[in-house]
Amino acid sequence: MTRTPPTGVPAHVPLVHVLRDRLVESVHHGSVVVVAPGGSVLFQAGDAETACYPRSAAKPMQAVAMVRLGLRLPPDLLALTASSHSGEDRHLAGSRRVLELGGSAEAELSNPADLPYDPVERDAWIAAGRPARKLAHNCSAKHAAMLHTARRHGWSTSDYLDPDHPLQREIAATVEELTGQRIAGTAVDGCGAPLFAVSLRGLATAAGRIASAPAGSPEGLVAEAIRSHPEMVAGSRRDTTALMAAVPGLIAKDGFEAVQIAALPDGTAVALKIADGSDRARLPATIAALELAGVDPDLLTRFTSDDLTVTDVLKKHRRTA
């Protein structure tokens, strides 16, 4: 295991330009890294070494930890466990099923009550006069799986989000193993779960290890679940789901504050963070990073926009494996 990533203000660089009639109107800074199988750096722009919070991009690692602890779910529900779901009917039904399989009830979830994440689903929910509920929170399936895993081991469930809970200690150990780094800091994510700070390089390394893991291993089970059910990882109107449908074998996960990971079956992987947390810059930077990782640009043209373009720091480089 390498040293703990340093903390501080990351040295971000300009990554994405917002254009209006060909004039640069706004600039989004950030950092991006592309790693080869094994974790060596193929390309880096900005700061891939300073610790940052992966937010929901950490969910595949959390899912791996729970599978290592004996969590067994059908592939669609395992993909949902690694999701930030949109709150579509299939997501709510799936989250409910994870609760049922673990012998838990919605009231035991420690995530906040919320409305569906997807704007269309949320508007319909509000129009129907439905109140916020825990099951509708985009992290509900992960929490249901955490309850399931804790119960399987006879651990307490009322405090399953405590960083000192056996479940969270095992998740932290898995994060450190997959990233090859010591956790630089622990915070509380928006859903209430412990959030472990690692570097973008560590995050990309973990994504690559999950994507290239042998079939049947905990990492391989999570990767295959994500690949086979991208609609459960985000939603029918979400770009992360569309990316996985467009690129054969890709696994991908976004996170709040404009974090993104994506990894190919051979273990080549990318991780990025947009400095200001703006989600509009996340997709253009991700597309450029995937091209640097060797993805056929023809598979990605549908995701490009004339109004959002990457800067020369991304345009002028190509994969140099």
Side-chain angles (χ1 to χ4, degrees):
M1 184 177 296
T2 62
R3 63 186 178 88
T4 306
T7 57
V9 180
H12 293 304
V13 297
L15 290 183
V16 177
H17 288 157
V18 182
L19 305 180
R20 185 179 297 275
D21 196 18
R22 295 173 296 185
L23 179 70
V24 175
E25 184 173 42
S26 299
V27 180
H28 291 289
H29 289 65
S31 296
V32 59
V33 64
V34 181
V35 300
S40 61
V41 174
L42 294 172
F43 171 80
Q44 176 178 323
D47 189 344
E49 305 299 338
T50 298
C52 64
Y53 290 120
R55 302 301 298 266
S56 286
K59 285 178 178 173
M61 293 188 289
Q62 292 169 318
V64 167
M66 289 188 277
V67 174
R68 288 180 175 182
L69 288 167
L71 179 68
R72 294 296 179 265
L73 294 171
D76 60 331
L77 299 185
L78 184 55
L80 189 62
T81 293
S83 79
S84 300
H85 66 71
S86 289
E88 298 171 33
D89 288 345
R90 59 187 164 196
H91 302 140
L92 302 182
S95 297
R96 189 180 299 110
R97 183 62 177 149
V98 177
L99 284 170
E100 292 170 352
L101 290 171
S104 301
E106 182 177 352
E108 296 177 85
L109 294 170
S110 291
N111 59 267
D114 204 354
L115 300 176
Y117 179 74
D118 181 87
V120 174
E121 301 296 333
R122 184 168 59 247
D123 288 349
W125 194 282
I126 294 170
R130 303 174 70 180
R133 58 184 293 187
K134 291 184 176 184
L135 197 69
H137 193 284
N138 71 90
C139 299
S140 63
K142 177 185 76 175
H143 283 254
M146 287 180 172
L147 283 169
H148 192 327
T149 305
R151 276 211 162 83
R152 191 180 189 282
H153 286 268
W155 296 331
S156 59
T157 55
S158 61
D159 61 342
Y160 73 89
L161 295 185
D162 189 319
D164 288 327
H165 191 281
L167 171 64
Q168 300 302 335
R169 290 202 302 267
E170 291 294 331
I171 290 174
T174 297
V175 169
E176 291 193 328
E177 179 187 335
L178 290 174
T179 62
Q181 298 178 337
R182 298 192 184 280
I183 291 167
T186 302
V188 179
D189 209 342
C191 66
L195 178 63
F196 305 118
V198 295
S199 74
L200 287 176
R201 181 176 180 179
L203 191 58
T205 299
R209 286 175 173 169
I210 294 171
S212 61
S217 67
E219 296 92 327
L221 289 171
V222 171
E224 183 53 34
I226 290 172
R227 287 189 189 105
S228 59
H229 293 280
E231 76 285 353
M232 301 300 275
V233 178
S236 61
R237 289 174 284 269
R238 300 268 294 281
D239 58 49
T240 292
T241 289
L243 270 176
M244 288 190 281
V247 181
L250 184 74
I251 68 169
K253 183 70 189 76
D254 55 339
F256 279 165
E257 295 302 315
V259 180
Q260 180 80 49
I261 58 170
L264 297 164
D266 69 351
T268 305
V270 308
L272 64 89
K273 158 78 175 148
I274 302 302
D276 61 5
S278 173
D279 209 47
R280 72 176 176 181
R282 175 184 54 81
L283 184 58
T286 300
I287 297 308
L290 286 173
E291 290 189 21
L292 292 166
V295 173
D296 183 351
D298 290 341
L299 298 175
L300 303 171
T301 53
R302 59 174 288 200
F303 301 102
T304 61
S305 167
D306 292 337
D307 298 327
L308 291 163
T309 182
V310 295
T311 63
D312 286 346
V313 71
L314 292 175
K315 287 178 180 176
K316 291 181 177 178
H317 290 80
R318 292 294 182 267
R319 185 177 180 184
T320 56

